[in-house]
Amino acid sequence: MLFQIFDAFKPRLHDSNSKVTQVALEAMHKMIPLLKDHLSPVINMLIPAIVDNNLNSKNPGIYAAATNVIQALCQHLDTSLLLQPFCTKAQFLSGKAKQDLTEKLA
């Protein structure tokens, strides 16, 4: 069931309409404390959707929302679940997204 929900939700995290993306990130930020470690089966699908484009966004609302989601993940999930997906993404990012994820990894 969780996969079906997030399969439908994931495209909203990188929608061509920036308002949709921002609202999806803000919704994700609210869901994380509620779902906590129940997100573990979908975390490898979610992190790329959250990080790609959003952490390097020139739109300050999207960037702030993406940063808040990453912070919430670090606060509410077992950090061992985040280590591999964060490392994988950090290898291929550039700019402030790479810097932000590298700081989280440190």
Side-chain angles (χ1 to χ4, degrees):
M1 178 72 166
L2 196 61
F3 281 106
Q4 292 170 330
I5 292 168
F6 283 100
D7 277 343
F9 184 76
K10 185 179 123 182
R12 303 295 70 82
L13 292 170
H14 47 81
D15 197 275
S16 60
N17 183 329
S18 62
K19 291 178 184 177
V20 171
T21 300
Q22 185 172 342
V23 169
L25 286 165
E26 290 166 356
M28 187 74 225
H29 182 251
K30 291 175 186 174
M31 286 188 273
I32 291 168
L34 301 172
L35 295 174
K36 297 184 181 177
D37 288 330
H38 296 291
L39 287 172
S40 62
V42 295
I43 203 70
N44 287 327
M45 165 186 31
L46 283 179
I47 288 180
I50 293 164
V51 171
D52 291 349
N53 302 322
N54 298 325
L55 275 184
N56 269 333
S57 178
K58 292 183 183 355
N59 181 317
I62 290 175
Y63 174 74
T67 303
N68 289 339
V69 169
I70 296 297
Q71 184 63 35
L73 287 170
C74 292
Q75 287 177 338
H76 297 285
L77 269 71
D78 179 354
T79 53
S80 66
L81 295 172
L82 302 174
L83 185 60
Q84 184 61 45
F86 277 10
C87 285
T88 302
K89 287 311 302 174
Q91 288 177 8
F92 301 104
L93 291 171
S94 61
K96 62 184 175 182
K98 185 175 191 111
Q99 179 181 349
D100 289 345
L101 268 190
T102 304
E103 287 174 8
K104 289 296 176 199
L105 284 166

